[in-house]
Amino acid sequence: MAAAPLLSLVGIGKSYAGVRALDDVGLTVEAGSVLGLIGENGAGKSTLMKILGGVVQPSAGSIVVDGVAHSAMTVAGAARAGIAFVHQELTVLDNLDVAANIFLGREMLGGGPLRLVRSRRMHALARPLLERLGADFGPETSVSRLLIAQRQLVEIARALSMDARVIIMDEPTSSLTLQETDRLLQVIGELRASGVAVIYISHRLNEVKLCADRVVCLRDGRVAGGLARDEITHEAMIRLMIGRELRALYTPPRSVPQGALCVIDRLVTGAFPDREVSLTVHRGEILGLAGLVGSGRTSLARALFGIDPILSGTVTLAGETVTVGSPRAAIAQGIYLVPEDRKREGLVLDMPLTENISLASLRRYARFSLVDRAAETVAARRQQGALKIKTHDLAVHAATLSGGNQQKVVLAKWLSMAPRLIVFDEPTRGIDVGAKGEIYALMRALADDGVAIVMISSDMEEVIGVSDRVAVMHEGRIGGVLERADLSEFNILRLAVGQDAETLESA
């Protein structure tokens, strides 16, 4: 007789102002198993997990843990039941060290009237958790010094520290390198072997295929179907998510790249003061920029956009040497950046979409220091239609949109001007497969119109599928440039770890 599930969600429903977000959703999770939960943005995954975590109360249904039914959970009740979360949106605090973030809210206090925090004890307990994840930083490191990928590892270490019985991982690898992702998948395997259940939510379907024992798909607030272990394929998951076959996720080029638009010659940035970067980007091409986290990809993008200082070297645009000492100077030259963290660096979340779209070109709508709201709205509506931004009202705040639509708003801000070179830093991070296809199509359309595009991505499938060429960075320099005929995971990884281009193989 099969053992009872560790966790069951039975007939879960949730309505907001008459709108049905979840409708009769049911799923089970067994101890020592990994459940892959997939679905497009807006399918109901986040709402379902918030209900499980006690953040949101269901309108109908029950949560059964160890055979005990609960009509609703509280946050404290979920923690007592052994349910822990690794959130996609990072919740670490910059002003604390790593150990303090891992034990946040569960600080170890000493005796006596002062009840001082026992930092040494917390550091000692945090260290093996970080070693288990293969982290290259210690528990005493200030979080303010960590990259996004490293902060993600702190989130995962926090969940591991709680000895949870069910760990919900929401896009846990969205900022991780291939090596870090591989290590996380190993950790998931170890958790499974120790009897811990994992609910793995990801738009990276290859990872779901690698780690999941079962897959459940949500679509429009309902369970669209499930897949057993031997049924899990990339195609089957996409079919469940969008309700149809996705013939081509990547849009092939329709024209041949033109001559050089941007020439970077012996550029030295503050991040790598002893390394030079030389690179050429052609009109009408998508140049992928690959490499391990910390290899210099983002620092190069920030230097091109005038955020980080350029110590020496030149940037030539359309044959003319340009100065990009500030974002304003870069924007004036038609160089734009779609940043990795769209919520913190690309949008003002509590401002309406109209104002986000016009933010970089506000002077265009100003008359005697007053903004012409009518002209601003007309321009925003034009971009909404062109990019198919899904919203009923441009007055809603950017925070209310899905990840894919937020990314389109960032892009709309730049397309309302005159782009010549656009750098996309992790353009589809945390975006569902349907929205990914739309972003890829928009990038290809820009390239076909003669815009030069640099795409930084840690998703190997994305780099190979989207790019016309790929430049690979290693420790602050270009390790090599691969033509499309030579693109393969093997070749990119060889260059990323510092191997010579002569050792590459035919793709």
Side-chain angles (χ1 to χ4, degrees), residues 316-385:
T316 302
L317 204 63
E320 178 184 350
T321 300
V322 297
T323 301
V324 286
S326 68
R328 177 175 291 181
I331 290 170
Q333 298 293 341
I335 301 174
Y336 306 147
L337 172 66
V338 178
E340 176 183 10
D341 192 340
R342 57 181 170 269
K343 291 191 175 184
R344 293 180 61 184
E345 301 174 350
L347 297 166
V348 182
L349 294 175
D350 58 357
M351 278 175 51
L353 304 187
T354 301
E355 294 178 21
N356 269 282
I357 292 172
S358 65
L359 195 58
S361 55
L362 197 57
R363 292 171 182 265
R364 181 179 301 177
Y365 310 104
R367 298 290 184 275
F368 306 107
S369 299
L370 297 176
V371 176
D372 184 343
R373 295 298 183 189
E376 183 186 43
T377 301
V378 168
R381 282 205 187 104
R382 186 182 307 118
Q383 293 301 326
Q384 179 194 9

Side-chain angles (χ1 to χ4, degrees), residues 260-269 275-282 285 287-289 296-306 309-322 324 335-336 421-423 452-456 469 471 473 476-478 481:
L261 174 78
C262 179
V263 178
I264 302 166
D265 185 31
R266 292 178 292 179
L267 198 73
V268 178
T269 68
R275 297 297 178 96
E276 295 180 346
V277 175
S278 295
L279 190 63
T280 299
V281 191
H282 299 102
E285 85 164 333
L287 176 69
L289 192 58
R297 300 171 305 168
T298 295
S299 51
L300 175 60
R302 289 169 61 88
L304 284 175
F305 193 59
I310 294 175
L311 304 183
S312 63
T314 60
V315 177
T316 302
L317 204 63
E320 178 184 350
T321 300
V322 297
V324 286
I335 301 174
Y336 306 147
L421 171 68
I422 302 183
V423 181
I453 292 176
V454 175
M455 181 191 72
I456 301 170
R469 293 185 302 142
M473 294 197 71
R477 64 179 179 83
I478 301 297
V481 179

Side-chain angles (χ1 to χ4, degrees), residues 38-46 88 171 203 218 220 241 342 390 401-405 429-435:
I38 62 174
E40 295 189 86
N41 287 338
K45 304 187 302 297
S46 295
Q88 177 186 353
E171 298 288 349
H203 295 308
L218 293 185
D220 299 328
M241 288 174 68
R342 57 181 170 269
K390 296 177 182 176
L401 297 187
S402 68
N405 283 296
R429 176 175 178 254
I431 293 177
D432 65 65
V433 66

Side-chain angles (χ1 to χ4, degrees), residues 5 65 88 164 191 207 223 276 314 476 495:
V65 182
Q88 177 186 353
L191 291 170
E207 295 172 11
V223 174
E276 295 180 346
T314 60
L495 292 174

Side-chain angles (χ1 to χ4, degrees), residues 91-93 96-109 117-130 138-141 143 153-164:
T91 59
V92 293
L93 301 180
L96 299 178
D97 67 19
V98 168
N101 270 280
I102 290 174
F103 295 103
L104 191 64
R106 300 174 291 124
E107 292 82 1
M108 297 167 190
L109 305 177
V117 174
R118 299 178 61 192
S119 296
R120 287 188 181 178
R121 177 62 177 160
M122 289 163 59
H123 288 167
L125 292 176
R127 187 166 282 107
L129 296 173
L130 297 172
E140 67 287 338
T141 305
V143 166
L153 293 179
V154 176
E155 292 267 11
I156 297 167
R158 180 191 297 165
L160 294 178
S161 74
M162 299 171 68
D163 294 325

Side-chain angles (χ1 to χ4, degrees), residues 428-447:
T428 63
R429 176 175 178 254
I431 293 177
D432 65 65
V433 66
K436 280 185 179 183
E438 293 180 355
I439 296 295
Y440 298 150
L442 289 170
M443 292 169 64
R444 182 55 67 188
L446 286 168

